[in-house]
Each structure stands twice: as C-alpha cells, then as structure tokens.
Amino acid sequence: MILFQDLVDETQAGEVISEEKTLSVIDLIVNGGAGSILIISVLFVMLAVALYIYFERILAIKAASSIDKNFMNQIRDHVMNGKLEAAKILCAQTNSPVARLTEKGVSRIGKPLDDINTAIENAGTLEVYKLEKNVNILATIAGAAPMIGFLGTVIGMILAFHQMASSGGQAEMGALASGIYTAMTTTVAGLVVGIIAYMGYNHLVNRTDKVVHKMEANAVEFLDLLNEPV
C-alpha cells in the first residue's frame, strides 16, 4: 500500500514538473505584467507593419523587374525604321520602369542627346523613388524595435529594484522575478522584431539595386542606339 502511494505521489510530482515546464507564448506575454503587455503590443504592431511593407514591396519590385527579353530589340527595330509611334505604343503596353524610361527617351528623339539623357535620368529618379516607397519605415522599425525592447528592460529592472527598496531589502523572490521577467520578455520581443525588419530591409535594398542596375543598363543601350550611324 505504501509503495502504491509513493508511486502515485511520484506520478503527480512528474505531472506538476511537466506542467511547470510548459509555457506558451501567450503566457510568456501575459505573465510579464501590464508594462510587458503594453510594450509587446507596440512591438507586435510594428512587426505587422514591417511584414506588410516587406511583402507589398517584394511584389512591386518583382513586377518592376519582369520585362520581355526582346523588348529592347523591338524598340531598336522600330527606331531604326522610323516607327516612333509604334515604339511609344510598345512602351505604353509594357508596365515596367524600363519601358517608362525608354518611352521618355523615344518621345524626345530629335532633340540633343543631353536633353534626352536628362529626361531619362529624371524619369529614373522618379522610378527609384517609387521602388523605395515605405522601405525607410522598415529601417526605422529595425532600429526602434530593439530600443523599445530595452526600454521594457529598464522598466522591469526599475520595478524590481523599487520592490527591493520598498521592502527594506527583504523583498520576496517572486516580486523581484516579476520585474526581471518583464525585462527579459520585452528585450527578446524587441530583438526579434528588429532582426526581422533589418533582414527584410536589406533584402528589399538588394532587390531594388538589381532593378536600378537593369534600368541603367537599358538606358545606356537606348542612348547607344541613338548614337549608331544611320
């Protein structure tokens, strides 16, 4: 009978230990107190904004980088044959930064090359601005999220030391642990959001640079086309 009771006690103790080791993400947030909930809520909103901007820009950049490989060959044929209207129509039917830059150049054929080059550069600046829309917000989130997390760290440590000071140095470990718990959870949340936003920002910058290089290459090809002897 005693052995059976000991076995039951050990089983119950094992269940308690397993329950104590299980901690969901929601419990991790809620158990940190009001300060932790507030700061992590702000970080969650920042994460949602960062993810929205990232995926929206990825789709926009992907659409901007897709263009028919024969596009410039068709433009060359139209220009060499004097079919400028056909070249403009082809550019208008192709929804990409390269086509819009080429259309600017085609519409100014007959003017000095410097004027054509300036028109293409101005159009290119506008296209780059469109590609980089809201990307700077990702950089801001990447820098601000860890700082907000560290703010929670400072608040949590202040609460812990305040509890210690208020109790005359006889504070219970549970009260101290609550403040330290708040500090650690907000730090982790801030770093996670910051890392995600930072990686997303760098990826978007790299993808944008590739599109810009493609625009520059096609602009140079178009200007070379105008310099070819008739």
Side-chain angles (χ1 to χ4, degrees), residues 1 24 80 85-86 120-121 139 148 150 164 173 182 184 198:
M1 185 67 180
S24 66
M80 296 300 291
E85 288 300 323
I120 293 177
E121 288 180 354
I148 294 176
F150 292 146
M164 183 181 296
M173 289 300 298
T182 300
M184 296 300 100
Y198 181 74

Side-chain angles (χ1 to χ4, degrees), residues 8-61:
V8 171
D9 292 340
E10 290 178 0
T11 303
Q12 292 177 347
E15 292 177 354
V16 172
I17 292 173
S18 62
E19 289 178 357
E20 290 177 352
K21 290 182 179 179
T22 302
L23 185 64
S24 66
V25 176
I26 296 177
D27 293 335
L28 187 67
I29 297 173
V30 173
N31 293 340
S36 175
I37 294 174
L38 177 61
I39 292 177
I40 292 179
S41 297
V42 173
L43 291 171
F44 180 79
V45 172
M46 295 173 69
L47 176 61
V49 172
L51 291 176
Y52 172 79
I53 293 174
Y54 173 77
F55 287 109
E56 188 273 334
R57 285 293 87 198
I58 278 292
L59 294 176
I61 293 172

Side-chain angles (χ1 to χ4, degrees), residues 113-223:
L113 285 178
D114 290 340
D115 293 345
I116 299 175
N117 188 29
T118 301
I120 293 177
E121 288 180 354
N122 293 336
T125 301
L126 180 60
E127 293 298 331
V128 172
Y129 174 78
K130 292 179 181 178
L131 291 173
E132 295 177 346
K133 180 182 178 183
N134 295 329
V135 174
N136 59 332
I137 297 178
L138 271 183
T140 302
I141 292 175
M147 296 176 66
I148 294 176
F150 292 146
L151 175 62
T153 302
V154 175
I155 292 174
M157 298 306 295
I158 289 175
L159 293 175
F161 284 110
H162 175 72
Q163 183 67 25
M164 183 181 296
S166 300
S167 61
Q170 301 297 323
E172 297 181 357
M173 289 300 298
L176 293 176
S178 177
I180 297 174
Y181 189 92
T182 300
M184 296 300 100
T185 53
T186 55
T187 300
V188 171
L191 289 174
V192 169
V193 175
I195 290 171
I196 292 175
Y198 181 74
M199 293 176 64
Y201 171 77
N202 281 320
H203 185 233
L204 290 178
V205 168
N206 291 332
R207 292 290 298 271
T208 302
D209 287 342
K210 291 181 180 179
V211 178
V212 171
H213 292 156
K214 184 180 292 187
M215 290 164 52
E216 292 175 347
N218 282 273
V220 170
E221 184 177 351
F222 178 76
L223 292 174

Side-chain angles (χ1 to χ4, degrees), residues 50-107:
L51 291 176
Y52 172 79
I53 293 174
Y54 173 77
F55 287 109
E56 188 273 334
R57 285 293 87 198
I58 278 292
L59 294 176
I61 293 172
K62 183 178 180 180
S65 61
S66 60
I67 188 172
D68 187 1
K69 296 181 179 179
N70 294 323
F71 173 77
M72 289 306 298
N73 292 331
Q74 293 175 337
I75 292 295
R76 176 187 296 273
D77 293 339
H78 290 321
V79 172
M80 296 300 291
N81 295 325
K83 300 178 180 179
L84 300 184
E85 288 300 323
K88 292 179 183 178
I89 293 174
L90 176 60
C91 293
Q93 292 175 344
T94 306
N95 184 21
S96 70
V98 171
R100 288 189 283 272
L101 263 62
T102 305
E103 185 178 10
K104 283 290 183 182
V106 171
S107 63

